[in-house]
Amino acid sequence: VLVRDPEDREIAKFTTTTNSFGSFAGTVDLPERAPLGYYGIVVAIDEEEHFEGLLVEEYRKPEFQVSLKSDKPYYVLGDIAVVHIAATYFFGAPVAKGQATYSVSVSPLWEAPFDFDEEGEREFYYSGELVLRRTIHLDEQGQAQAIIPTDILLKQRPYDVLVTIRCTVTDQSNRTFSAVTTARLY
C-alpha cells in the first residue's frame, strides 16, 4: 500500500495481508500541517494495481443544523409518511430558501435483544437499499416536508422494513449539513 499527498510525495508505504474475506484495513497518521487536497492510494495485489483517493480538507465549524422528524414512529402499508425538515443557523435565523436533498432507503426489520445504544435506542447497522431520492426547497422559515408514499417502499418486499431517511441541506453560500432519522414500516 502506497499513499501520496497532493504534491505527489510518498507519505506512507506498508505491506499488509488480506483477511479471509479478501479485505484489509490500515491507518496513516497525517502530520498537523499536512497539505490539503486529494491524496492518492495505490494498492498492489500480486501483479495488479488498484487506485483510490481521499480528500483532506480543513475543519470548518458548522454554521447551521438540520433536524428531521417523522410524523409517526411507524407506518403501515398505504400510509403517507411525512418527514418534517428544519434547518436553522446557530445564531437563530432559519436557513431560508435552502435546498434539501433527501434519500429514502429500506432494510429488513429485524431486532436482536441486545442491540441498544447508551440512550436505550436500538442500534441498526445496515442502511439498506436506496428506494427514493428527491430534491426540494426550504421555505422562508427554513422548513419543508418530505412526502413519502409507503406503497413504493414495500414494492417487491413481502416483509416489514426499517426506513432510513437522510437529508442534506445546502444554504445560499453552498455550505451543507445533514441529518438522519428512521421509522418502521409494517
Side-chain angles (χ1 to χ4, degrees), residues 87-149:
T88 55
Y89 290 101
F90 286 115
F91 57 83
V95 180
K97 302 292 184 184
Q99 178 177 292
T101 299
Y102 65 91
S103 62
V104 180
S105 55
V106 296
S107 58
L109 183 58
W110 60 270
E111 297 186 10
F114 302 108
D115 288 341
F116 290 95
D117 64 15
E118 294 169 359
E119 286 81 38
E121 296 290 321
R122 288 213 177 266
E123 291 182 351
F124 294 92
Y125 302 101
Y126 172 61
S127 62
E129 174 187 353
L130 179 66
V131 177
L132 175 71
R133 182 186 311 267
R134 295 227 169 99
T135 299
I136 57 177
H137 290 280
L138 305 179
D139 62 17
E140 291 291 337
Q141 289 74 42
Q143 299 179 8
Q145 290 184 341
I147 309 297
I148 305 164

Side-chain angles (χ1 to χ4, degrees), residues 72-79 81 104-111 124 126-131 148-165 181-186:
K72 295 194 250 180
Y74 66 88
Y75 301 92
V76 294
L77 184 60
D79 286 350
V104 180
S105 55
V106 296
S107 58
L109 183 58
W110 60 270
E111 297 186 10
F124 294 92
Y126 172 61
S127 62
E129 174 187 353
L130 179 66
V131 177
I148 305 164
T150 59
D151 60 337
I152 66 169
L153 302 181
L154 285 183
K155 194 178 283 185
Q156 299 178 346
R157 292 177 191 86
Y159 45 82
D160 300 334
V161 295
L162 176 70
V163 180
T164 302
I165 302 103
T181 192
T182 60
R184 290 162 175 75
L185 174 57
Y186 300 102

Side-chain angles (χ1 to χ4, degrees), residues 18-93:
T18 58
N19 62 22
S20 62
F21 297 105
S23 62
F24 66 90
T27 60
V28 174
D29 292 326
L30 298 178
E32 187 173 325
R33 298 277 183 214
L36 304 178
Y38 191 77
Y39 282 67
I41 303 168
V42 180
V43 177
I45 302 174
D46 296 326
E47 300 299 316
E48 294 181 16
E49 284 191 344
H50 302 270
F51 302 90
E52 187 55 66
L54 64 104
L55 184 61
V56 175
E57 296 181 302
E58 185 175 25
Y59 173 76
R60 288 178 48 183
K61 183 178 173 183
E63 297 183 21
F64 66 89
Q65 63 185 353
V66 178
S67 64
L68 300 177
K69 183 165 177 38
S70 57
D71 63 333
K72 295 194 250 180
Y74 66 88
Y75 301 92
V76 294
L77 184 60
D79 286 350
I80 300 293
V82 179
V83 177
H84 302 279
I85 303 167
T88 55
Y89 290 101
F90 286 115
F91 57 83

